Amino acid sequence: MPGCENRYYDYLIKEGMRVANIYEDLGVPIVINAAGTATRLGGPPLSNVVMEAMAKAGEASVYIEDLQTQAALLIREVTGAESGLVTSGASAGLTLAAAACMAGLDGARMRQLPDSRGIPNEILIARSPRNAYDRALTLAGAKLIDVGIDDWAAGAGVRGIEPDVFAESITDKTAAIFYLARRDDRMNLRALVAVARRFGIPVIVDAAAQLPPRENLRRFIEEGADLVVFSGGKAICGPQGTGILCGKQELVASAAVQMVDLDVPWEAWNPPRLLFPKEALRGMPYHGVGRGFKVSKEEIVGLMVALRRFVDAEGLHDQWVDHLRRIAGKVEGLAGVDQVRLVLDAPTPLLQIKLDEASLKRSPWEISTSLRYANPRIAFNEQLLHQGVFIVNPISLRPGDGDLVVQGLAKELANNLRQLN
Ligand SMILES: *Cc1c(COP(=O)(O)O)cnc(C)c1O
């Protein structure tokens, strides 16, 4: 099979079969994943290097504080941040970031959250782009304060949200400023950080989906963010249930303390000080708001191995493009397909397949639904379905999956062609 010699594909179809067999045993159909790294699909398949590391991690017990500290050192190295923590996903990382900005190292505040009465609890957030993950911040007890008017995004004018409008909303109740990292963002993070620094307010950056490019691991920290979250289960291809929170040592430590199991006698607790600065802690919560966000030793190890691979991997982009080109070559000219376009000006290359809707009996939604539950199940990225476009994201495709995508699509289209009269 072409492409099997690639390093990135070293888990090969052999691993794919192993995965397929366990799911077959359980009676769960596997999905050919052309949608990308979606959580609802369990994220990308793991490389066997990551899976083996996770299996080995399961062979012994360790103090989670020791393991998280080694992870912190690795995260520090690859992000340039003072410290880091493996979280149970970027969303949990946001909740912990909000909790850290509200409580700092104050144990009494940690005990009180998510009840944030009497604690600076307001997080300023640009009115656009509000998104569904904002909820992760309020989960810790924070209150979101909408800031600015985005005429540019609304198509009503040329002005977007300007960093200076944040200054007008900062009060003694402000706990943090939130910034959603986007590739096409017009608000400059450095300028926002400059405003925040004038008032001593930390900036939290949601960069969950901003990898690749891998340079972004360092970028937001370099630009002055105090806390940054990344998803471990997206392009890093770590265990799906992981994420990274990195940034200022004291804030990351606050997050760590609010996440770990604290059923330990204070006198007998002697963890490494980077994440657990015992002397600086003013009291200790029982279990913090993040206690439900536990990350297993296997997941922490898996994330560490995947992160190292992600940083070291060469030629990933070219391999993705190759895979997409092979698919494009087979989809072009299929009855029911209007246009095939390779999108290369994005960190993750994509293939757009535009259906010839006039020649089809069913709508793109119906066709997509049918493919979702076909045998094998095939999931596309549906972001442009309203334009009749199926998007193929290569990140989660295993070698050989491209052919299954083509076969499934061809069969589905053939079944739905209008009769010519
Ligand atoms: C995916 C995503 C998240 C959540 O990441 P998880 O690791 O799945 O928790 C948060 N914010 C944004 C912008 C995302 O795209």
Side-chain angles (χ1 to χ4, degrees):
M1 194 172 317
C4 285
E5 67 282 3
N6 285 332
R7 213 177 106 201
Y8 176 66
Y9 289 137
D10 57 7
Y11 49 93
L12 285 183
I13 214 69
K14 175 172 129 268
E15 285 302 310
M17 281 162 59
R18 189 166 105 194
V19 168
N21 284 344
I22 182 84
Y23 285 122
E24 202 172 293
D25 292 349
L26 295 169
V28 178
I30 66 161
V31 181
I32 307 305
N33 182 359
T37 57
T39 296
R40 62 192 172 278
L41 295 171
L46 297 180
S47 81
N48 55 7
V49 178
V50 172
M51 287 192 286
E52 276 161 21
M54 291 177 76
K56 287 199 184 117
E59 289 173 2
S61 293
V62 295
Y63 289 126
I64 287 296
E65 289 104 329
D66 289 340
L67 184 54
Q68 282 282 17
T69 298
Q70 290 308 315
L73 296 176
L74 171 63
I75 294 168
R76 189 159 86 172
E77 179 194 325
V78 302
T79 64
E82 290 174 12
S83 185
L85 181 69
V86 181
T87 63
S88 56
S91 196
L94 290 175
T95 306
L96 288 168
C101 291
M102 288 188 285
L105 294 177
D106 186 330
R109 288 184 173 186
M110 291 180 188
R111 268 196 286 275
Q112 190 187 313
L113 292 179
D115 175 350
S116 62
R117 276 173 294 183
I119 300 174
N121 65 352
E122 293 184 352
I123 298 185
L124 309 184
I125 181 166
R127 192 167 266 115
S128 158
R130 288 293 300 265
N131 71 89
Y133 293 107
D134 300 347
R135 189 142 203 257
L137 301 166
T138 58
L139 190 56
K143 195 173 146 194
L144 295 180
I145 306 292
D146 288 305
V147 171
I149 293 282
D150 197 340
D151 269 350
W152 179 77
V158 296
R159 294 177 63 185
I161 294 188
E162 293 150 4
D164 279 337
V165 300
F166 280 83
E168 296 159 16
S169 299
I170 292 176
T171 68
D172 55 8
K173 289 196 195 141
T174 308
I177 292 177
F178 172 80
Y179 176 86
L180 177 73
R182 290 179 298 166
R183 202 158 67 88
D184 55 353
D185 203 350
R186 298 184 355 133
M187 187 165 64
N188 184 299
L189 177 58
R190 284 184 203 277
L192 182 65
V193 166
V195 171
R197 292 250 165 97
R198 280 204 331 256
F199 297 87
I201 303 290
V203 174
I204 301 169
V205 173
D206 179 356
Q210 295 306 302
L211 303 171
R214 65 183 162 193
E215 291 72 30
N216 278 359
L217 279 171
R218 310 189 83 88
R219 175 174 153 203
F220 308 107
I221 291 292
E222 242 163 49
E223 292 180 352
D226 295 273
L227 286 172
V228 181
V229 304
F230 296 102
S231 189
K234 290 182 179 169
I236 291 174
C237 292
Q240 167 59 198
T242 61
I244 293 170
L245 173 66
C246 62
K248 292 278 154 58
Q249 193 242 333
E250 182 175 319
L251 291 171
V252 175
S254 171
V257 172
Q258 293 185 80
M259 182 172 82
V260 294
D261 175 1
L262 287 177
D263 185 21
V264 282
W266 175 259
E267 304 77 13
W269 191 49
N270 191 22
R273 295 298 188 262
L274 176 66
L275 287 179
F276 305 93
K278 191 176 173 186
E279 287 74 22
L281 269 177
R282 295 175 295 279
M284 193 177 176
Y286 297 103
H287 291 307
V289 280
R291 174 62 180 80
F293 301 156
K294 67 162 75 174
V295 194
S296 70
K297 57 191 182 304
E298 297 81 8
E299 288 175 310
I300 298 173
V301 167
L303 186 271
M304 290 172 74
V305 172
L307 181 58
R308 178 65 77 192
R309 279 169 65 83
F310 177 74
V311 171
D312 291 344
E314 293 300 338
L316 220 56
H317 193 271
D318 292 346
Q319 288 165 29
W320 288 335
V321 172
D322 281 354
H323 205 159
L324 292 181
R325 276 195 210 287
R326 286 199 299 276
I327 296 171
K330 292 174 187 163
V331 171
E332 257 159 17
L334 278 184
V337 170
D338 178 22
Q339 247 181 54
V340 177
R341 192 165 85 89
L342 202 52
V343 182
L344 293 176
D345 61 350
T348 306
L350 298 171
L351 183 67
Q352 294 185 356
I353 303 169
K354 186 165 168 45
L355 301 189
D356 177 15
E357 291 184 61
S359 72
L360 295 163
K361 285 188 287 200
R362 298 205 295 167
S363 73
W365 281 276
E366 290 170 316
I367 291 173
S368 189
T369 306
S370 182
L371 285 163
R372 270 164 168 261
Y373 298 104
N375 182 16
R377 301 183 165 202
I378 303 175
F380 288 89
N381 175 320
E382 296 170 322
Q383 211 154 25
L384 294 179
L385 213 50
H386 62 288
Q387 296 174 7
V389 174
F390 282 59
I391 302 175
V392 179
N393 178 318
I395 293 190
S396 299
L397 288 178
R398 300 164 304 160
D401 280 355
D403 288 341
L404 297 176
V405 169
V406 174
Q407 283 160 24
L409 184 65
K411 190 169 145 204
E412 187 61 32
L413 293 178
N415 285 343
N416 286 293
L417 286 177
R418 281 184 196 287
Q419 305 295 353
L420 297 174
N421 20 341

